[in-house]
Amino acid sequence: MAGGAVVNTSGGKDYPGRLTLFVFFTCVVAATGGLIFGYDIGISGGVTSMNPFLKKFFPEVYNKKQMKGSANQYCKYDNQLLQTFTSSLYLAALVSSFFAATVTRVVGRKWSMFTGGLTFLIGAALNGAAENIAMLIVGRILLGVGVGFANQSVPVYLSEMAPARLRGMLNIGFQLMITIGILAAALINYGTNKIKAGYGWRISLALAAVPAGIITLGSLFLPDTPNSLIERGHPEAARRMLNRIRGSDVDISEEYADLVVASEESKLVQHPWRNILQRKYRPQLTMAIMIPFFQQLTGINVIMFYAPVLFETLGFKGDASLMSAVITGLVNVFATLVSVFTVDRLGRRKLFLQGGSQMLVSQLVVGTLIAVKFGTSGVGEMPKGYAAAVVLFICLYVAGFAWSWGPLGWLVPSEIFPLEIRPAGQSINVSVNMLFTFVIAQAFLTMLCHMKFGLFYFFAGWVVIMTVFIALFLPETKNVPIEEMVLVWKGHWFWRRYIGDADVHVGANNGKGAAIA
């Protein structure tokens, strides 16, 4: 593949060990941190399409919705306060991710997850009981703090617990839980919208306490990762934990020695936030910024945040728009499962490139279909058959995202950083993701009003750029132990210029046997 250096995994270090039942269950519990993120993504768009919710908190939008006939379909939800309701969470997540980095490093990954779950629990209660805009926004901010902590700690935890050759599959469990959360939210919205008394939106918002409770209680029973235990000065506990997660009959001496070497090097780093700017970390820093930046510019949040709103804008009515969101949620879950079972065989690059191509075609078709029916005026009707075609191509788009940029946007940044800058690197990844999630959430309805069908072409253009970026600058990272990842960058046609021979330290055997093809 053009521009990619490939690690020869048959010649690379392959630590002994298997997927033990203990590792599987700990990773499943940790991955439930994705439920709180997914549930929120799915629930917010649903409640903002419910008339009782709009009537109580956003009467201007409600009145605009009631206009018949000549109403501009593109602009009826254009309201800055409504967008702030959705986007405030992501701004809070951005800020909290920096605090989460310190908690993750100093007291361990599990306590960062616990903090996230507990804060999300409080935010869910506040939103469910909200009587005014202020309560809604404060609740959303607390939800954001929870998301920031969970998104910072969970991918790192999964990458550190998993055997290298299964790291992709287990790490994508986080994204799978996000998609399950989105689907659950869509189903709940569909059900609560039928409550005649008009309080369905309260149930939808308050039920965020369920996924929050799962990760809060679950994290109390999670063990710390060997990497974290070594980093915090518990070498014997780390050895016992590594032995337990790899299997009691497995020789862990080589992997343990490499973890110790990585930890000793990390202790020499007094200022990880400053050190991450060093030349030798330029490849990882670039990916930690560009991958989450591009992930949000795929346009996925146009679909997932505002799915019911978007479908209603495209001419679907009430229940039909919520059901369309359920359909895309189902596609999201099953397509993510494709990634779970293929990422460690096909590799990250192939999924990125194939998914990008599929999203590009789908966005162009959806944009064109909307242009034909609504033009630039936004006035028109969409027949059932035509609407079904729109839903079909949106589902194809969601599937392409769900087995590429969705899971890999979290997996790749979490597996490329050396221990000494890992919490800082993951915080940058989360904060960039949340920053542009906030920007898109805050701007989307206004962009739709002004750019109309051209919004889909706008995101399609970004998909072209990001696919070319991956083709040229992302090397394959499948099956490579985290402690040996420096060899991947050293062997890449572009990034090798930033890494000197003295920067290559890969553990007990100093990288012997780990070849770059």
Side-chain angles (χ1 to χ4, degrees):
M1 291 181 187
V6 180
V7 171
N8 182 352
T9 54
S10 62
K13 207 177 279 187
D14 184 16
Y15 301 122
R18 61 185 184 278
L19 178 59
T20 63
L21 198 60
F22 179 68
V23 168
F24 178 76
F25 280 116
T26 56
C27 287
V28 168
V29 172
T32 59
L35 285 175
I36 63 176
F37 191 27
Y39 187 85
D40 180 79
I41 290 173
I43 215 70
S44 56
V47 297
T48 53
S49 72
M50 294 181 186
N51 286 334
F53 177 82
L54 292 174
K55 195 172 183 179
K56 182 175 180 63
F57 296 107
F58 305 98
E60 286 183 20
V61 178
Y62 174 76
N63 292 332
K64 205 184 296 186
K65 269 188 71 177
Q66 304 315 303
M67 292 173 62
K68 304 294 182 183
S70 62
N72 185 333
Q73 295 294 319
Y74 294 124
C75 296
K76 62 183 181 180
Y77 281 95
D78 181 19
N79 181 279
Q80 284 299 310
L81 194 57
L82 179 62
Q83 292 174 119
T84 301
F85 163 72
T86 299
S87 65
S88 56
L89 180 147
Y90 303 99
L91 193 59
L94 186 162
V95 175
S96 65
S97 66
F98 291 102
F99 295 98
T102 301
V103 174
T104 301
R105 186 180 73 253
V106 175
V107 299
R109 285 57 166 151
K110 63 177 285 182
W111 293 112
S112 189
M113 292 183 225
F114 175 80
T115 303
L118 186 61
T119 312
F120 200 92
L121 197 59
I122 298 169
L126 199 57
N127 266 356
E131 289 296 334
N132 51 54
I133 292 287
M135 285 183 72
L136 272 182
I137 300 298
V138 171
R140 292 288 292 175
I141 289 171
L142 290 172
L143 295 178
V145 172
V147 167
F149 271 82
N151 286 12
Q152 203 281 338
S153 53
V154 172
V156 170
Y157 185 93
L158 296 172
S159 288
E160 291 180 346
M161 289 295 281
R165 61 183 175 275
L166 297 173
R167 188 174 60 242
M169 180 185 77
L170 292 175
N171 192 288
I172 288 175
F174 177 65
Q175 178 68 18
L176 180 62
M177 289 295 180
I178 292 176
T179 63
I180 291 172
I182 292 171
L183 175 61
L187 289 168
I188 288 167
N189 281 335
Y190 185 73
T192 58
N193 191 50
K194 294 180 179 296
I195 297 174
K196 301 296 184 185
Y199 59 82
W201 62 268
R202 289 193 184 276
I203 297 175
S204 291
L205 293 177
L207 282 176
V210 175
I214 292 172
I215 187 59
T216 303
L217 292 175
S219 62
L220 294 175
F221 298 96
L222 288 177
D224 268 318
T225 68
N227 312 63
S228 178
L229 288 167
I230 290 175
E231 185 179 31
R232 293 184 290 117
H234 306 290
E236 287 308 312
R239 180 184 281 275
R240 289 194 299 271
M241 182 53 61
L242 186 62
N243 198 65
R244 188 177 183 189
I245 66 177
R246 297 294 180 254
S248 57
D249 57 340
V250 172
D251 181 10
I252 60 163
S253 55
E254 185 178 8
E255 184 173 5
Y256 178 76
D258 286 354
L259 289 177
V260 170
V261 170
S263 178
E264 291 301 319
E265 289 189 359
S266 73
K267 289 175 183 176
L268 300 176
V269 178
Q270 299 298 318
H271 306 285
W273 289 99
R274 191 165 64 201
N275 280 64
I276 203 171
L277 300 176
Q278 290 180 6
R279 182 179 175 85
K280 64 180 178 179
Y281 299 129
R282 196 67 48 77
Q284 296 97 321
L285 180 60
T286 301
M287 293 301 161
I289 293 172
M290 298 308 296
I291 287 178
F293 168 72
F294 284 141
Q295 187 192 52
Q296 296 315 307
L297 284 168
T298 57
I300 187 62
N301 289 332
V302 171
I303 306 299
M304 292 306 171
F305 285 169
Y306 297 106
V309 170
L310 179 65
F311 284 122
E312 202 164 309
T313 296
L314 298 180
F316 294 71
K317 305 301 178 188
D319 282 354
S321 68
L322 288 168
M323 180 50 68
S324 298
V326 170
I327 293 169
T328 57
L330 280 167
V331 171
N332 201 13
V333 171
F334 286 108
T336 302
L337 285 170
V338 172
S339 190
V340 167
F341 294 111
T342 60
V343 67
D344 289 316
R345 289 200 296 271
L346 295 178
R348 285 62 162 153
R349 282 172 53 83
K350 285 183 180 178
L351 289 177
F352 264 131
L353 298 175
Q354 190 283 329
S357 302
Q358 184 168 320
M359 286 191 293
L360 173 63
V361 172
S362 302
Q363 283 169 313
L364 292 175
V365 172
V366 170
T368 303
L369 288 173
I370 294 172
V372 169
K373 280 300 170 187
F374 293 125
T376 55
S377 68
V379 178
E381 292 292 330
M382 190 174 284
K384 285 186 177 179
Y386 205 89
V390 172
V391 172
L392 171 64
F393 280 98
I394 285 179
C395 286
L396 286 173
Y397 162 79
V398 169
F401 176 86
W403 61 54
S404 63
W405 279 92
L408 299 180
W410 294 106
L411 167 61
V412 172
S414 75
E415 68 182 358
I416 60 176
F417 283 100
L419 183 62
E420 63 267 22
I421 57 168
R422 194 169 302 155
Q426 183 64 8
S427 283
I428 291 172
N429 175 43
V430 172
S431 61
V432 172
N433 192 299
M434 292 300 113
L435 173 62
F436 287 96
T437 303
F438 165 77
V439 170
I440 296 297
Q442 185 64 34
F444 162 63
L445 294 174
T446 302
M447 291 170 70
L448 180 61
C449 180
H450 290 86
M451 298 177 69
K452 305 175 174 59
F453 61 84
L455 183 62
F456 291 91
Y457 297 151
F458 170 79
F459 286 120
W462 279 106
V463 170
V464 172
I465 294 169
M466 64 186 69
T467 303
V468 172
F469 174 84
I470 291 296
L472 292 176
F473 298 114
L474 182 69
E476 183 55 70
T477 56
K478 71 170 183 177
N479 300 339
V480 182
I482 294 176
E483 289 69 38
E484 288 196 346
M485 201 64 71
V486 65
L487 295 171
V488 174
W489 306 109
K490 182 65 173 171
H492 188 270
W493 71 274
F494 181 80
W495 299 119
R496 66 176 56 153
R497 72 190 70 182
Y498 294 98
I499 302 169
D501 293 338
D503 298 324
V504 180
H505 303 288
V506 289
N509 294 336
N510 201 31
K512 292 176 183 176
I516 301 293

